[in-house]
Amino acid sequence: MNKAFSLIKLYINSVFGLSAILRDMKNNKRQALKAIGFIILILFSFSGVLAMFTLFNIKMFDMLKPTSQQGIVVLNTVIMASAFTFFVGILTVVATYFLNQEGDIILSLPLKSWNLLLAKFIVSYISELIFSFFIMATGILVYGIKNGEGFLYYIFSIIITFLIPILPLSLGYFLIIPMMKFGRIFKNKDFVMYFSGFFAILIGIIFQYFSNLMAKPDVEIMKKITSSTGFFDLAAKIYYPAILSTKALVEKGFFIKIFCLITFIIITLGCFVLLLYLMSDMYYETLIENVGERKRFLKVDLKNVIKRKNVLLSLLSREMKLMNREPVYFINGPMIIILLPVILAISFYFQKDTLMTQFKLINLKAFSYYLNLISIAGIIFLGASTSIASTCISREGKSFEFIKSLPINPKLYVLAKLLHSLIFAVLASIIILAFDIFIFKLSLLDLLLIFLVSILILAVIFILEILIELKWPKLIWDNPQKAIKQNINAVVGILGTMGFIFLLGSLVVNFNIRSYKMHFILILIFLSLLVVLYKKIILYATKRFYDIEI
Amino acid sequence: MIEIKNVSKTYSKGRIKAVKNIFLNVEKGEIFGFLGPNGAGKTTTIKMIAGILKPDEGQIKVNGIDVVKDPIKAKMQIGYVPDNPEIFNRLTGIEYLNFIADVYEVEDEKRYKKINELAEMFGIKDALNSSIGSFSHGMKQKLIIIGSLIHDPPIWILDEPLVGLDPKSAFILKEIIKKHAKEGNTVFFSTHIMEIAEKLCDRIGIIKKGEIIFTGSIEELRSLRKENESLENLFLELVENE
Ligand SMILES: Nc1ncnc2c1ncn2[C@@H]1O[C@H](COP(=O)(O)OP(=O)(O)O)[C@@H](O)[C@H]1O
Ligand SMILES: [Mg+2]
């Protein structure tokens, strides 16, 4: 048991990096502050969604109160939290299935197979708990306060909140472990990364869809989903434990409450124990097979593959390969360019009729002007959301030392990074322009202006992002996630770009700008900015490149 | 030729003194062994020669070129093998070698000859088209060694190159080191094992806690350690490391 605990501690540290934060608190205050600021930033971006949830629950409560059906509010949150842990749970299970440390070291330790599964389970459990805690809080508090519930209600709520993630997560493991065992493709780590990336984005879309629904609580929709044949009824039929936990909270009688709670606990823990009992060995086997698997090598004729390239092109091609082949980088970077437009196209397809009638109401000239501006905003957003420039030094990690040992001209080094981000910016612009051409049939002048303005602005943004990266690179990491997902520079880059787009948009709206003069002014401003900043970055890189030490 | 003059380096804003005012001269055609226990400052010194770290004070020249003042020209002279071969795991072996050769501006003909010969010797030719991430630790080390020789560097610097190599590869590497020096190039490598230095080096330098406590040939070391107790102790420590 002791061994299982140390393993749990190891896993938790490697996934959440807690000990690093604690260590930094003592030794490196600035680093710790950064990490904490980062967490607050994430919480902050979540707070909007939570507010929406809360609002939705309040509306629903008020609507259901006259028919004494307000308990559905609790049922709603329980189902939401369970569904969320189930789907996100599958994701974390897949993504953390093979942790780095899992290598030969841990498998060689004298650990029982259920120790390993338990440790891994707890890691996923903790992250699910954080999410489901917040989701539960929105409904529990609304119901509790508005219904004037007492002490017992809150005690039960806490117990149930802690239990809620266990059952969906166990089901997730019941699904995933056999898939890892028998599905060959899941053994490929890269495939697993791509899979979980796509899955995460899918969840994001569904989540977005629901949030949109909840943002404007419509009485009609509410009636539909709460009716006896509605969504909640259906969900509750599929997932009976949700009814149990809801009853434990909203029933009036004490004994029925206790009865429901205990039954819920028994089902939850029973399923969990069953998981450990039935699946541990299979889980262990999948880990062993993963370590044992080595790739076979492909022979080639050396003569055909040895080719000299221009240094700049060679640097550029290295950049692109390293980014596109690392799933973590690719999913959080360039893939967004492909994915976002696809999402856009799908949602456009579904709302085609309403959108088109709305378009027809706007006069044609104004329409093409605003579409022009929206396209510019879209390209800028897509271009910046690849995070290519804003993580360009950090992604090198400790290899940066090796780079420094090579006779690379810092000017070319930085130029390759700028080109890399610009290539993907152009790719983004092609996709957006394709929409403009084939669906909206914009004029050639419009297309040209869109392209020029957005690429110029992006070039300036990229240079600023690279400057930030040169100044504060995050080179010490053991997991590439940290270079892109937990990199403050990337967050600053995206938020900064969004802020800039917002600023530009509000300028247009406030001053009711409707003239293409603005485009020319923008081109003028950003062209001169580009010239100045380009000189600045070359100068800075030439010095700074040699000063960066790990 | 490597000239190190009065070089110091600190870490953590001066709190850790890793290298303290060292002087070293390594001549052309010489195999120089840089010997010292773990944490003595070997890697720090090597990283300064390779231009990865900037000395706090002092000056380093390779073939007469100042590493800090003229970094690109200086690095063109150097081939560097780091102590840890974990780099660019997402490239294939051949992509890596092509990249390195591009940076050192090596012609196709010459890079083919080098890669073919060395990969054959180390037995990793068939693996070159696979991703470095699928290589074993030793294979990665061999790949980096090949890369570091691709431009026939007049100055070859290796940080603990024999750690983690199997005996056969270690033997091959020692032969390559000898050959490279015989062709008139400078070889500078670090180790914490006395025996390796004894067998391979023309001259050795011993570093301890950031200070050079001895430079000279093995014979000079033998005669000196009888008289100098701390040198004798260190010698024993380094021998025990085996
Ligand atoms: N990046 C670093 N930050 C702080 N201290 C370091 C760093 N790198 C090395 N040191 C310290 O500097 C000293 C010399 O280290 P190093 O040059 O790696 O020695 P060696 O290669 O001889 O084992 C050691 O005390 C080590 O702990
Ligand atoms: Mg070392």
Side-chain angles (χ1 to χ4, degrees):
Chain A
M1 204 60 200
N2 248 338
K3 287 177 204 150
F5 275 121
S6 5
L7 190 60
I8 291 166
K9 239 172 72 187
L10 176 72
Y11 277 166
I12 289 177
N13 272 332
S14 74
V15 172
F16 301 104
L18 281 181
S19 67
I21 293 181
L22 289 181
R23 201 172 51 235
D24 285 342
M25 291 262 209
K26 280 194 213 115
N27 306 328
N28 190 344
K29 294 245 158 50
R30 230 178 80 198
Q31 196 65 34
L33 274 182
K34 265 196 222 164
I36 290 168
F38 198 68
I39 293 170
I40 291 173
L41 200 68
I42 290 172
L43 287 182
F44 181 73
S45 50
F46 249 98
S47 62
V49 176
L50 289 180
M52 220 135 65
F53 260 69
T54 313
L55 224 65
F56 178 77
N57 282 326
I58 292 175
K59 272 263 165 77
M60 191 151 83
F61 188 95
D62 291 344
M63 201 192 80
L64 294 168
K65 176 89 185 170
T67 50
S68 308
Q69 276 185 302
Q70 66 271 40
I72 290 183
V73 171
V74 175
L75 184 62
N76 166 36
T77 35
V78 170
I79 288 175
M80 281 288 167
S82 306
F84 195 82
T85 33
F86 180 67
F87 287 110
V88 177
I90 285 189
L91 192 68
T92 44
V93 169
V94 171
T96 59
Y97 203 88
F98 304 115
L99 284 177
N100 288 341
Q101 290 84 345
E102 206 106 70
D104 317 277
I105 303 170
I106 282 191
L107 291 178
S108 68
L109 296 176
L111 290 164
K112 296 223 174 63
S113 57
W114 68 266
N115 289 169
L116 287 166
L117 183 53
L118 176 69
K120 197 58 83 60
F121 187 95
I122 288 183
V123 172
S124 331
Y125 170 76
I126 289 174
S127 52
E128 298 322 316
L129 182 63
I130 296 169
F131 285 116
S132 73
F133 179 83
F134 283 111
I135 296 176
M136 284 295 282
T138 61
I140 294 293
L141 290 179
V142 166
Y143 182 86
I145 293 168
K146 289 201 125 201
N147 222 33
E149 291 292 334
F151 186 63
L152 196 64
Y153 168 82
Y154 291 102
I155 294 286
F156 275 31
S157 305
I158 289 170
I159 297 173
I160 286 174
T161 301
F162 272 88
L163 288 172
I164 271 186
I166 295 179
L167 200 49
L169 207 54
S170 301
L171 294 177
Y173 271 100
F174 268 118
L175 272 175
I176 297 295
I177 294 173
M179 265 156 98
M180 291 286 183
K181 173 76 182 149
F182 300 112
R184 280 206 66 76
I185 193 140
F186 276 97
K187 284 179 192 151
N188 183 329
K189 271 190 203 174
D190 291 353
F191 174 79
V192 167
M193 297 279 245
Y194 286 120
F195 170 84
S196 40
F198 273 110
F199 202 78
I201 289 159
L202 198 70
I203 292 175
I205 296 169
I206 295 171
F207 195 67
Q208 207 58 44
Y209 179 75
F210 272 104
S211 319
N212 277 343
L213 267 186
M214 292 186 177
K216 339 180 214 33
D218 182 312
V219 178
E220 276 308 303
I221 295 174
M222 285 229 191
K223 273 198 183 132
K224 243 189 232 166
I225 56 179
T226 54
S227 76
S228 61
T229 52
F231 167 72
F232 286 124
D233 202 56
L234 185 72
K237 265 189 197 131
I238 298 171
Y239 190 66
Y240 189 70
I243 296 278
L244 278 176
S245 37
T246 305
K247 280 193 170 164
L249 290 175
V250 302
E251 281 291 336
K252 290 278 171 293
F254 178 73
F255 287 106
I256 179 108
K257 278 170 104 84
I258 282 284
F259 174 76
C260 287
L261 182 67
I262 290 177
T263 318
F264 180 65
I265 293 175
I266 290 174
I267 293 179
T268 301
L269 295 184
C271 185
F272 176 58
V273 171
L274 216 61
L275 173 76
L276 289 187
Y277 185 72
L278 291 177
M279 303 307 264
S280 289
D281 286 341
M282 194 187 278
Y283 173 72
Y284 187 70
E285 281 163 28
T286 58
L287 290 188
I288 294 198
E289 280 167 18
N290 180 57
V291 169
E293 204 143 292
R294 291 257 189 261
K295 285 176 200 140
R296 260 177 287 128
F297 298 122
L298 313 152
K299 281 193 207 178
V300 274
D301 186 7
L302 278 185
K303 262 255 147 72
N304 298 330
V305 287
I306 290 179
K307 278 211 180 66
R308 180 165 177 188
K309 261 205 262 297
N310 163 290
V311 181
L312 180 63
L313 288 183
S314 193
L315 283 164
L316 178 62
S317 112
R318 181 193 73 104
E319 285 281 332
M320 304 229 265
K321 282 172 190 154
L322 288 181
M323 179 133 199
N324 296 342
R325 289 179 190 171
E326 177 65 61
V328 177
Y329 294 160
F330 186 71
I331 290 166
N332 295 291
M335 198 175 80
I336 292 171
I337 291 183
I338 302 159
L339 215 72
L340 275 184
V342 170
I343 295 168
L344 216 68
I346 292 173
S347 55
F348 180 76
Y349 180 80
F350 282 121
Q351 301 177 336
K352 203 167 42 185
D353 300 337
T354 43
L355 278 180
M356 274 306 181
T357 47
Q358 275 173 1
F359 285 154
K360 280 187 190 125
L361 295 179
I362 315 169
N363 81 56
L364 206 66
K365 187 134 184 297
F367 173 66
S368 66
Y369 184 75
Y370 286 125
L371 185 63
N372 179 315
L373 295 187
I374 291 170
S375 303
I376 291 174
I379 295 171
I380 295 175
F381 179 73
L382 279 185
S385 61
T386 60
S387 300
I388 293 174
S390 63
T391 61
C392 67
I393 311 283
S394 303
R395 288 197 312 269
E396 307 270 16
K398 289 177 191 136
S399 306
F400 187 74
E401 288 204 323
F402 188 73
I403 291 282
K404 266 182 90 178
S405 81
L406 299 173
I408 294 174
N409 188 336
K411 179 179 159 183
L412 296 183
Y413 178 74
V414 164
L415 203 55
K417 293 187 181 291
L418 185 60
L419 280 178
H420 180 193
S421 20
L422 279 173
I423 286 173
F424 280 86
V426 169
L427 208 68
S429 74
I430 289 174
I431 292 173
I432 299 268
L433 288 177
F435 275 96
D436 291 339
I437 294 170
F438 294 114
I439 298 179
F440 303 111
K441 312 213 174 344
L442 281 189
S443 72
L444 191 66
L445 181 70
D446 268 311
L447 299 177
L448 211 68
L449 283 176
I450 292 172
F451 182 79
L452 265 179
V453 172
S454 53
I455 296 295
L456 264 180
I457 293 179
L458 271 176
V460 168
I461 291 176
F462 291 154
I463 292 184
L464 290 175
E465 287 180 335
I466 299 174
L467 277 171
I468 293 177
E469 270 279 286
L470 278 168
K471 179 88 184 142
W472 297 288
K474 189 182 168 86
L475 295 167
I476 302 180
W477 45 257
D478 40 17
N479 180 339
Q481 300 253 12
K482 297 197 178 136
I484 190 156
K485 283 174 89 175
Q486 299 168 26
N487 187 343
I488 308 230
N489 298 347
V491 180
V492 168
I494 289 182
L495 288 186
T497 305
M498 292 209 289
F500 172 76
I501 293 173
F502 181 76
L503 196 79
L504 219 54
S506 42
L507 275 182
V508 170
V509 173
N510 271 339
F511 296 97
N512 199 14
I513 302 173
R514 288 229 187 152
S515 151
Y516 284 98
K517 274 182 203 143
M518 187 180 75
H519 288 70
F520 292 104
I521 294 171
L522 281 177
I523 290 177
L524 219 64
I525 294 175
F526 280 88
L527 199 61
S528 20
L529 266 180
L530 183 63
V531 172
V532 173
L533 281 173
Y534 181 76
K535 280 190 183 146
K536 162 97 188 140
I537 197 170
I538 296 299
L539 212 69
Y540 183 64
T542 312
K543 197 176 115 15
R544 178 67 187 156
F545 180 79
Y546 298 106
D547 288 339
I548 299 174
E549 291 185 359
I550 299 182
Chain B
M1 194 172 62
I2 306 172
E3 298 158 272
I4 301 179
K5 259 191 230 142
N6 194 26
V7 163
S8 301
K9 179 74 187 175
T10 57
Y11 289 113
S12 310
K13 299 201 179 82
R15 268 178 280 148
I16 300 172
K17 288 202 169 72
V19 170
K20 303 167 196 163
N21 303 86
I22 63 169
F23 289 80
L24 271 181
N25 269 324
V26 185
E27 296 303 322
K28 243 168 95 85
E30 193 171 64
I31 302 177
F32 186 84
F34 198 37
L35 204 62
N38 286 328
K42 303 183 294 295
T43 298
T44 306
T45 308
I46 285 183
K47 281 182 179 170
M48 286 191 285
I49 305 173
I52 295 166
L53 299 175
K54 225 182 219 173
D56 294 349
E57 57 174 324
Q59 192 183 39
I60 300 176
K61 282 184 177 175
V62 293
N63 283 355
I65 307 161
D66 190 306
V67 176
V68 174
K69 289 201 188 107
D70 207 346
I72 299 177
K73 221 171 136 201
K75 287 170 193 177
M76 277 289 182
Q77 307 284 316
I78 299 175
Y80 163 65
V81 179
D83 52 352
N84 179 1
E86 292 301 327
I87 44 170
F88 307 154
N89 275 332
R90 295 283 168 185
L91 297 183
T92 67
I94 201 71
E95 284 167 350
Y96 169 79
L97 293 173
N98 263 326
F99 168 69
I100 300 290
D102 287 336
V103 168
Y104 285 108
E105 297 169 3
V106 181
E107 294 301 332
D108 281 345
E109 210 33 56
K110 193 178 154 198
R111 66 174 84 171
Y112 171 75
K113 240 186 84 206
K114 271 275 168 217
I115 295 172
N116 196 41
E117 176 197 333
L118 291 168
E120 189 99 42
M121 267 167 114
F122 279 128
I124 62 166
K125 202 170 153 188
D126 289 342
L128 286 182
N129 203 32
S130 305
S131 116
I132 299 176
S134 67
F135 284 20
S136 69
H137 188 85
M139 287 164 77
K140 288 178 187 176
Q141 236 171 319
K142 293 173 198 170
L143 182 74
I144 289 182
I145 291 171
I146 297 174
S148 73
L149 284 171
I150 211 154
H151 57 301
D152 253 327
I155 293 171
W156 194 23
I157 302 169
L158 309 94
D159 197 354
E160 309 252 5
L162 295 161
V163 174
L165 281 187
D166 55 273
K168 185 173 161 233
S169 308
F171 175 79
I172 295 170
L173 177 60
K174 285 179 202 162
E175 292 305 305
I176 297 175
I177 287 178
K178 283 180 201 159
K179 184 166 160 260
H180 199 69
K182 202 172 261 165
E183 286 165 359
N185 303 302
T186 310
V187 181
F188 183 108
F189 76 92
S190 74
T191 175
H192 60 276
I193 299 166
M194 178 60 81
E195 196 205 338
I196 295 170
E198 275 180 328
K199 292 214 173 116
L200 206 56
C201 298
D202 301 314
R203 253 170 12 105
I204 58 169
I206 300 184
I207 183 169
K208 188 185 175 185
K209 292 192 179 139
E211 285 171 285
I212 304 271
I213 55 170
F214 172 83
T215 46
S217 65
I218 295 289
E219 287 75 44
E220 287 172 280
L221 177 65
R222 290 223 171 92
S223 57
L224 225 98
R225 56 180 257 243
K226 301 278 178 306
E227 300 145 30
N228 184 330
E229 194 182 337
S230 95
L231 197 59
E232 173 69 13
N233 286 341
L234 186 65
F235 180 87
L236 290 176
E237 190 185 328
L238 292 170
V239 171
E240 272 165 16
N241 251 324
E242 177 56 352

